[in-house]
Amino acid sequence: MAADDDPHSSEDEQVEETEKETVENKDESVTFKDLGIVDVLCEACEELKWKQPSKIQKEAIPVALQGKDIIGLAETGSGKTGAFALPILQALLENPQRYFALILTPTRELAFQISEQFEALGASIGVKCAVIVGGMDMVAQALVLAKKPHIIIATPGRLVDHLENTKGFNLKALKYLVMDEADRILNMDFEVEVDKILRVIPRERRTYLFSATMTKKVQKLQRASLQDPVKVEVSTKYQTVDKLQQYYVFIPVKYKDVYLVHIINELAGNSIIVFVATCANALRCALLLRNLGLAAVPLHGQMSQNKRLAALNKFKNKSRSILICTDVASRGLDIPHVDVVMNLDIPLHSKDYIHRVGRTARAGRSGKAITFVSQYDVELYQRIEQLIGKQLPLYACDENEVMVLQERVSEAQRLTNIEMKELNDKKSIKGKKRSAGSDDDDTEEAIGVRRRIKGKPNKHAAKRKRK
Ligand code: AMP
């Protein structure tokens, strides 16, 4: 099962939080210097235009600088990376050492994002980081590790692979371990890998465990890996920000595509993320929109890492305005310019709704979220409304205007189905040739398919002409 589709196990339900120790710092004018951060790192924050510490930074940094373990309940977007990166960099400055800190994170995209922040904050102190994630060349990674970076940012599976198979690589001198998005690491069944890592790193270390929610599994991990931790918390859980306008559209499932195209046309000029339930639907929708001349790119868990990064970069640098993705992108991705999030397929877990719509209305900007509700989704939708504690307004669409598009959309669907079939045929041939293949961004390949399909009628037309 793809990690991004992985349902939460019942054991993982949220549990009552007890013994909450919240370090409050209500002084709005507090600076990084006041928190105990040294000048060179304060300057780095200034360079990044971080004028003031965020709430989680205000709470976590002083505790970290006292040398304590931390359990942090905070989500991406709260500034939590800075909350653990600044104390780690400060400790590194005091005791420069290779293989100083390990950051474990659930997804490859998050790993790169965290590395970017470490490098930006640590640029003037010459920090060396290595990102060790799946889907990339093991040998090239082994060479990077051989250069002995200060900070390793890794997904658990690939790190274990290196610990077991890369000669000369070990983490016996590690000083800091961060488990970022611990709830998600555990939901993705990385428990065995995390256990293996805990067994080969020193007990004498500092550990920071960050999680969006406190689940039973996270509590177990906390007990196994932290010493007398201080709990810090920012209460952004299950809230959507004020500047986010949320709507739903209620339509029969067969009209989803035509409504999608209509709304995207209406919102032309905006950067849009469309969430779907499966990898295949991400590819299908991207092809469909491209067949209608819209600049869409897919992002899903079956693409190779390079293709995922390339897709993300195309969207980030605005050369594509529409990103079609599975929940692989619902948490953590920090792309400030996203104007609209559309849930073409309703999320199965209500909490994923919060993560998805949290991709827009970031950093004080406004944003829109539009959720498609079909005849089959009513119950799931009601659960979302219950979670966010409000009823959403209907997104106004003129049905006549929408239906004008039906014919063009049907033709694009027909073309897309042929492309999908050809791609699947190609893949099964490829699959026979090389067993462990990846899906990659098939839209590029489909362009070739499309040219051939489109070429066919023209050929007939040419024949007819000749006759
Ligand atoms: P994170 O939650 O760590 O992923 O951070 C989310 C975003 O907030 C990133 O783009 C950070 O660069 C930014 N950020 C982190 N700390 C601050 C701060 N103190 N002031 C302004 N922006 C920040």
Side-chain angles (χ1 to χ4, degrees):
M1 190 189 307
D4 36 290
D5 299 329
D6 196 9
H8 302 208
S9 68
S10 60
E11 198 206 340
D12 230 0
E13 281 158 20
Q14 211 186 343
V15 294
E16 263 315 284
E17 283 158 27
T18 49
E19 45 182 320
K20 201 181 285 177
E21 187 177 347
T22 310
V23 183
E24 283 276 285
N25 188 342
K26 292 197 171 105
D27 184 358
E28 289 299 313
S29 62
V30 136
T31 63
F32 284 103
K33 199 174 170 65
D34 297 335
L35 300 181
I37 295 295
V38 294
D39 288 347
V40 61
L41 291 173
C42 289
E43 282 159 23
C45 294
E46 254 170 58
E47 292 259 315
L48 289 178
K49 311 236 169 352
W50 294 5
K51 295 193 182 101
Q52 271 192 325
S54 71
K55 193 158 182 285
I56 189 76
Q57 291 162 358
K58 281 183 204 163
E59 296 191 1
I61 290 173
V63 179
L65 293 179
Q66 283 169 27
K68 294 196 169 147
D69 280 4
I70 291 177
I71 170 142
L73 293 183
E75 300 200 359
T76 303
S78 59
K80 71 181 159 72
T81 314
F84 60 74
L86 285 166
I88 289 177
L89 288 169
Q90 186 145 321
L92 179 67
L93 258 177
E94 283 163 16
N95 282 310
Q97 181 208 300
R98 300 295 175 161
Y99 299 147
F100 188 72
L102 167 66
I103 323 298
L104 290 178
T105 189
T107 69
R108 304 160 188 184
E109 283 77 11
L110 277 174
F112 284 102
Q113 232 168 254
I114 293 169
S115 167
E116 276 166 22
Q117 285 204 44
F118 263 101
E119 278 176 357
L121 288 169
S124 61
I125 62 169
V127 70
K128 297 269 175 296
C129 301
V131 175
I132 302 295
V133 294
M136 302 189 103
D137 188 50
M138 276 288 283
V139 178
Q141 285 178 349
L143 290 175
V144 172
L145 288 173
K147 289 189 187 148
K148 299 194 163 64
H150 301 109
I151 317 282
I152 298 173
I153 302 110
T155 47
R158 180 52 70 95
L159 186 78
V160 167
D161 217 349
H162 280 287
L163 284 166
E164 289 175 346
N165 301 311
T166 299
K167 260 196 181 157
F169 171 60
N170 68 65
L171 292 174
K172 288 182 186 150
L174 194 78
K175 295 287 182 289
Y176 281 82
L177 170 69
V178 179
M179 286 179 281
D180 182 47
E181 305 231 344
D183 51 342
R184 206 161 167 223
I185 289 181
L186 298 175
N187 276 343
M188 288 168 80
D189 284 335
F190 278 132
E191 228 166 335
V192 175
E193 285 82 357
V194 171
D195 278 348
K196 281 187 181 167
I197 294 165
L198 288 175
R199 264 184 263 130
V200 297
I201 60 175
R203 275 173 185 274
E204 261 319 299
R205 56 155 206 270
R206 292 281 59 83
T207 307
Y208 305 148
L209 187 154
F210 282 87
S211 185
T213 48
M214 175 50 81
T215 63
K216 278 184 186 162
K217 281 186 183 177
V218 175
Q219 275 193 339
K220 202 173 130 202
L221 180 63
Q222 171 192 340
R223 282 193 297 271
S225 60
L226 277 76
Q227 288 175 22
D228 199 15
V230 174
K231 187 182 262 179
V232 295
E233 180 173 14
V234 288
S235 55
T236 52
K237 283 188 293 172
Y238 313 136
Q239 277 171 13
T240 46
V241 294
D242 296 341
K243 291 200 168 159
L244 173 71
Q245 297 168 289
Q246 303 172 79
Y247 304 92
Y248 76 101
V249 271
F250 187 52
I251 39 150
V253 76
K254 66 175 175 179
Y255 293 134
K256 269 185 168 185
D257 283 351
V258 69
Y259 270 81
L260 173 74
V261 175
H262 169 78
I263 296 174
I264 286 180
N265 278 341
E266 254 196 344
L267 298 172
N270 287 289
S271 285
I272 303 174
I273 297 187
V274 179
F275 280 101
V276 292
T278 63
C279 300
N281 206 23
L283 174 61
R284 188 197 67 86
C285 287
L287 290 173
L288 178 82
L289 294 180
R290 284 210 194 177
N291 279 327
L292 289 159
L294 296 162
V297 64
L299 174 69
H300 57 75
Q302 284 180 8
M303 285 160 64
S304 71
Q305 184 54 29
N306 284 339
K307 299 281 180 179
R308 275 160 72 168
L309 282 177
L312 205 54
N313 281 337
K314 280 180 196 162
F315 184 67
K316 271 186 173 172
N317 68 27
K318 303 190 184 178
S319 67
R320 297 281 191 285
S321 56
I322 307 160
L323 184 72
I324 315 280
C325 54
T326 56
D327 280 310
V328 78
S330 73
R331 273 224 215 169
L333 287 190
D334 182 34
I335 309 168
H337 72 268
V338 179
D339 305 297
V340 183
V341 166
M342 290 168 77
N343 292 310
L344 181 65
D345 295 331
I346 200 159
L348 288 183
H349 303 286
S350 318
K351 280 180 215 160
D352 286 335
Y353 175 86
I354 311 276
H355 296 308
R356 288 181 179 190
V357 302
R359 298 313 101 211
T360 186
R362 293 177 78 78
R365 294 165 56 116
S366 56
K368 261 195 192 82
I370 304 167
T371 299
F372 284 56
V373 184
S374 77
Q375 65 270 40
Y376 306 114
D377 306 325
V378 176
E379 211 184 312
L380 286 173
Y381 180 68
Q382 282 170 339
R383 270 193 235 152
I384 292 172
E385 283 197 335
Q386 236 171 22
L387 182 76
I388 58 178
K390 54 182 160 191
Q391 291 194 326
L392 302 184
L394 193 67
Y395 186 80
C397 287
D398 180 335
E399 201 185 321
N400 294 327
E401 268 180 36
V402 179
M403 287 307 149
V404 169
L405 291 168
Q406 179 68 52
E407 205 175 314
R408 277 187 63 209
V409 173
S410 297
E411 175 55 17
Q413 282 170 329
R414 191 186 65 80
L415 209 58
T416 304
N417 289 342
I418 301 174
E419 287 166 355
M420 290 285 284
K421 190 175 173 309
E422 285 211 13
L423 284 171
N424 281 336
D425 291 349
K426 257 190 169 178
K427 218 171 289 161
S428 58
I429 295 168
K430 260 193 209 167
K432 279 176 197 153
K433 285 186 185 155
R434 71 184 159 122
S435 53
S438 64
D439 252 357
D440 295 3
D441 175 2
D442 292 318
T443 46
E444 298 301 337
E445 207 165 338
I447 289 171
V449 174
R450 185 180 318 153
R451 280 199 192 110
R452 286 198 302 284
I453 299 167
K454 278 189 171 164
K456 280 176 193 164
N458 291 344
K459 266 190 229 160
H460 296 309
K463 265 187 196 167
R464 274 200 302 277
K465 251 189 181 176
R466 277 202 295 276
K467 277 179 193 168

